[in-house]
Amino acid sequence: MTTLIDPHNRQLTYLRLSVTDLCNYRCSYCLPNGYQGKAKPDELTLPEIHTIAAAFAQSGTRKVRLTGGEATLRQDLPDIIAAIRAQPQIESIALTTNGHRLDKNFPIYRAAGLTKINISLDSFNPETFKKITGKDQSQAILRSIENILNTGFTSIKINTLLLREHAQETLHDALDYIRTRPIALRFIELMQTGDNSAYFQQHHQNALQLEQNLIQQGWQLQPRQPHAGPAREYSHPDYIGNIGIIAPYSKDFCNSCNRLRITAQGKMHLCLFGSVAHDLRPYLHDVGSLKNQIAQLVQQKPEHHYLHNKKVGLITNLSMTGG
Ligand code: SAM
């Protein structure tokens, strides 16, 4: 079986594909003034996404995550999902979303072949949620999640940013929520980007303390699943759901990196915080030449990010590449 292996002996089986930069939220840590302007005219087209899906699938990719911006703002998202689903090697196709129009669209995405969904919900408290995201949507998102669970679909994760000021309240609400629901809720450490240094200084909280408290309360680390992302997942006999921790500032975070990223403009980032974006567009007319190009590029994948040294690479905010 073909696999992409980087010089640090990591198998790269997971592709995160951004399909638009456009976003309809104003998250205080990402796009506090909202997305400016319209969708860029040079977004990847459906045929280009087809070529990417085929080339990566044939090169060993087993999981594709669609992200953005807000991927659901693309009208042709069901066709994009179907294009990836058409690759027999791809075992799972996931979407990261803020929950926009989920009630209406989830059945359509599901029919197109979506197998997993990650929904961002930074607080269970409507006022706090609005303060963080600029939208009064938390109750609608929670209702959509309930509706999806009622269809019997359980591959749902919630992404919650760990923000110093709200951490305690959110942890309390999160535990309450997952006690009876088969959902993995993952706390993500706030990452510094080019645009958010002051915000980062004020709100970043290391996940270590939270993780130690969970362990003391009987939460147990689960073995990592094949092609899984970077979360450390914990379970507890009294809870149906799990808690995950995504801690990019933790030691060894990059050791298990299995990811490659492509922006909505077809640029490949070998690391979320790398300083080079490799333009794949000249190769998107042909699966064979794209396969050759990615096989060469992965040989340059850096061993780790330099976030600790305040080096945030090219990323001004995460709507550019997807979180
Ligand atoms: N619009 C979609 C959503 O809201 O999930 C997908 C894109 S968003 C950039 C993906 C994830 O990245 C969200 O869960 C968001 O909270 C997270 N994110 C954005 N900026 C971040 C930062 N500076 N540090 C850590 N996570 C961040």
Side-chain angles (χ1 to χ4, degrees):
M1 190 182 77
T2 317
T3 322
L4 293 169
I5 299 182
D6 77 3
H8 316 288
N9 214 19
R10 296 173 297 199
Q11 285 195 15
L12 309 174
T13 56
Y14 181 2
L15 174 66
R16 300 180 66 113
L17 178 63
S18 174
V19 293
T20 184
D21 285 351
L22 202 62
C23 192
N24 55 343
Y25 269 43
R26 296 168 173 257
C27 296
S28 45
Y29 46 83
C30 188
L31 289 175
N33 301 316
Y35 185 87
Q36 304 296 314
K38 295 186 175 158
K40 295 193 185 118
D42 57 352
E43 278 178 353
L44 288 168
T45 63
L46 189 56
E48 286 176 330
I49 292 174
H50 254 286
T51 309
I52 290 174
F56 277 79
Q58 290 170 29
S59 303
T61 295
R62 295 295 170 261
K63 175 174 177 180
V64 177
R65 174 171 304 283
L66 297 169
T67 181
E70 176 51 37
T72 62
L73 296 177
R74 258 189 88 146
Q75 301 295 322
D76 58 354
L77 187 59
D79 300 325
I80 294 175
I81 294 170
I84 296 163
R85 201 65 221 152
Q87 310 305 320
Q89 302 90 339
I90 302 291
E91 294 165 15
S92 73
I93 164 154
L95 170 69
T96 299
T97 175
N98 59 27
H100 176 65
R101 297 209 177 130
L102 207 52
D103 265 339
K104 178 171 165 273
N105 287 333
F106 180 76
I108 302 171
Y109 301 152
R110 186 77 182 112
L114 192 75
T115 61
K116 293 174 193 285
I117 191 157
N118 284 29
I119 300 164
S120 299
L121 183 86
D122 289 336
S123 173
F124 288 81
N125 176 328
E127 274 170 35
T128 310
F129 183 89
K130 188 171 176 203
K131 194 171 154 202
I132 299 172
T133 65
K135 291 271 185 177
D136 191 7
Q137 283 295 319
S138 58
Q139 300 312 297
I141 296 169
L142 288 167
R143 272 197 306 275
S144 300
I145 296 176
E146 223 55 37
N147 291 341
I148 295 175
L149 283 173
N150 285 338
T151 67
F153 183 89
T154 54
S155 294
I156 307 176
K157 290 183 175 145
I158 293 181
N159 286 349
T160 302
L161 214 68
L162 186 61
L163 298 172
R164 195 184 297 161
E165 157 188 21
H166 307 297
Q168 220 162 0
E169 176 190 56
T170 311
L171 176 63
H172 173 272
D173 293 347
L175 289 174
D176 208 35
Y177 184 76
I178 61 150
R179 189 184 289 276
T180 54
R181 293 177 180 83
I183 286 182
L185 185 141
R186 294 111 56 86
F187 284 101
I188 309 177
E189 273 182 359
L190 177 66
M191 292 179 261
Q192 185 168 4
T193 62
D195 275 355
N196 76 1
S197 337
Y199 190 95
F200 177 85
Q201 296 306 331
Q202 204 184 336
H203 296 279
H204 174 80
Q205 175 165 325
N206 192 297
L208 203 64
Q209 187 64 49
L210 187 153
E211 202 167 350
Q212 279 168 356
N213 289 347
L214 288 173
I215 294 168
Q216 274 164 12
Q217 287 163 26
W219 288 83
Q220 287 168 358
L221 185 62
Q222 296 304 298
R224 198 162 178 265
Q225 299 296 312
H227 323 307
R232 290 195 290 273
E233 286 229 357
Y234 288 84
S235 67
H236 190 291
D238 298 341
Y239 293 78
I240 294 181
N242 285 355
I243 291 282
I245 305 285
I246 301 182
Y249 291 88
S250 68
K251 195 173 144 285
D252 300 338
F253 178 75
C254 303
N255 288 0
S256 59
C257 185
N258 54 1
R259 294 177 292 289
L260 292 169
R261 295 169 191 271
I262 298 182
T263 69
Q265 281 72 39
K267 303 245 166 45
M268 183 151 97
H269 289 242
L270 296 165
C271 168
L272 176 56
F273 292 101
S275 53
V276 192
H278 302 273
D279 191 5
L280 297 183
R281 253 201 167 116
Y283 308 92
L284 294 186
H285 57 278
D286 172 56
V287 174
S289 58
L290 181 59
K291 276 167 64 179
N292 286 340
Q293 182 63 6
I294 54 184
Q296 286 177 33
L297 287 176
V298 299
Q299 296 315 316
Q300 300 171 36
K301 186 167 162 78
E303 190 171 6
H304 48 77
H305 63 59
Y306 292 94
L307 276 178
H308 302 94
N309 307 344
K310 310 270 177 224
K311 290 206 175 131
V312 297
L314 299 174
I315 302 299
T316 51
N317 60 66
L318 261 60
S319 77
M320 292 171 63
T321 42

